[in-house]
Amino acid sequence: MDYDIQKEARKRKLRSDAGKWILAGIILLAAVILLSESVFIVGEAEQCVVSRMGVIKRIILNEHNTFHEDFAGVLTGEITTSGDVQIQNSTGLHFKLPFFDTVQTYSSRLYTYVSDSEVVNTAEKKQYYVKTYAQWSIADPALFSLKLGTMSSAENQLDNLIHPVIVQAINRLSAEDFVSNKDALNAALAAGLETINNDMAPRGIEVKDIQVHRTILPAANIDSTYARMQADRAKVAQQTRSEGEEEYQRAVASTDLEARIIEANALSEAGAIRGEGEAQALAVYAQAYSKDEEFYAYWRSLQALENAIGENDILVLDRDHPLWKDLLAYVTGEQPE
């Protein structure tokens, strides 16, 4: 009897412990579900829209998104500029009201739009096959979800806007500027980019860049365009050659002038040195001659004789000639008068 009572007590205890474990498991599961419904994570390349009962309450953007500051004038009156919608520039862990808040996640990466090839006319009606491209991103996911909703809708909207804007920009350019002048083309595309963003910003899209992706000449325009490009290159080459020749002539003239100045200065300095040397030589000669004038006269006579008579020459002079006076006296042994 006691054994049955104890057995029954153990069963009741086991049922009680099992009930406690089941209750604890239910509580733990409810806590996990509640926690999972209360938090969400926004990745580095993600942005989110938090809605409560269908009404947008928060927009979570990445840290570098300045869309609302850059297009504040265009976005005036839009839902994301009202005080009821909170904009946060942060990623990582975020909290929400469980079971009442829903989170829509969008990518913040750049997307590429590429148009079909189409014939475009320049200002002088020159035709080119042109393909354009653009880089764009979802800058405001709330406006994007309300105005467009899907990527296909966004692509259709961009196709209806980007390509015509680029075509109009090319229509205003001459063929030479379109083919050769990148500054003129980029300026026209920059004006078109501003027009595109003013239209797309209220839809939550920002176009970062638009460019001509590929340009192909129609067969009828190839020869004339190549000829014009060759003429342009020849003109540039001739101008470069002319500038080089001018620079060469300027350098030669400058060098010649400098050489003449150096030569003149050298001649002037040499003349001064030569004059100074001759003056010093004359002073030395004068000083030497003044010590023995008779010897000097005799020595000069000998020099004159050496310079005047060749190897086979015969010179006949009077014995009283001054040139021979001392020499004849020496030869004959007579004393000079």
Side-chain angles (χ1 to χ4, degrees), residues 37 49 75 82 123 125 205 251 263 287 320 326 333:
E37 288 292 329
V49 178
L75 298 175
S82 65
K125 306 304 179 183
I205 287 178
E263 184 178 359
Q287 184 180 2
D320 294 330
D326 292 336

Side-chain angles (χ1 to χ4, degrees), residues 193-233:
L193 179 62
E194 183 178 357
T195 300
I196 292 171
N197 277 324
N198 288 337
D199 188 273
M200 295 303 297
R203 296 177 172 86
I205 287 178
E206 180 180 4
V207 180
K208 300 291 186 178
D209 184 33
I210 57 173
Q211 290 293 333
V212 175
H213 178 60
R214 183 177 299 170
T215 302
I216 302 175
L217 294 171
N221 293 353
I222 290 179
D223 293 339
S224 61
T225 301
Y226 282 172
R228 184 174 62 254
M229 293 175 66
Q230 290 173 355
D232 292 341
R233 292 300 93 194

Side-chain angles (χ1 to χ4, degrees), residues 40 42 46-48 50 58-62 88 90 94 141:
F40 62 97
V42 180
E46 295 179 339
Q47 48 196 349
C48 298
V50 181
R58 278 190 296 162
I59 304 173
I60 302 174
L61 308 174
N62 60 51
Q88 297 177 337
S90 63
H94 292 267

Side-chain angles (χ1 to χ4, degrees), residues 286 288-300:
Y289 299 158
S290 64
K291 290 184 178 181
D292 192 344
E293 295 180 359
E294 293 181 358
F295 174 78
Y296 175 68
Y298 176 69
W299 181 68
R300 290 290 294 171

Side-chain angles (χ1 to χ4, degrees), residues 166-184:
I166 296 180
V167 170
Q168 291 174 9
I170 296 173
N171 292 154
R172 291 189 289 267
L173 293 175
S174 65
E176 181 178 358
D177 287 341
F178 175 60
V179 175
S180 304
N181 193 341
K182 293 302 181 184
D183 292 336

Side-chain angles (χ1 to χ4, degrees), residues 240-309:
T240 303
R241 283 193 294 269
S242 300
E243 293 174 354
E245 181 65 23
E246 181 182 356
E247 186 66 23
Y248 167 75
Q249 294 296 339
R250 189 182 298 113
V252 169
S254 177
T255 304
D256 289 345
L257 177 60
E258 185 177 358
R260 293 190 185 97
I261 293 174
I262 293 174
E263 184 178 359
N265 291 337
L267 291 174
S268 176
E269 184 178 357
I273 295 173
R274 186 182 298 108
E276 183 180 354
E278 290 177 353
Q280 292 179 359
L282 291 175
V284 172
Y285 291 153
Q287 184 180 2
Y289 299 158
S290 64
K291 290 184 178 181
D292 192 344
E293 295 180 359
E294 293 181 358
F295 174 78
Y296 175 68
Y298 176 69
W299 181 68
R300 290 290 294 171
S301 299
L302 292 178
Q303 282 186 326
L305 182 62
E306 180 182 4
N307 294 329
I309 301 175

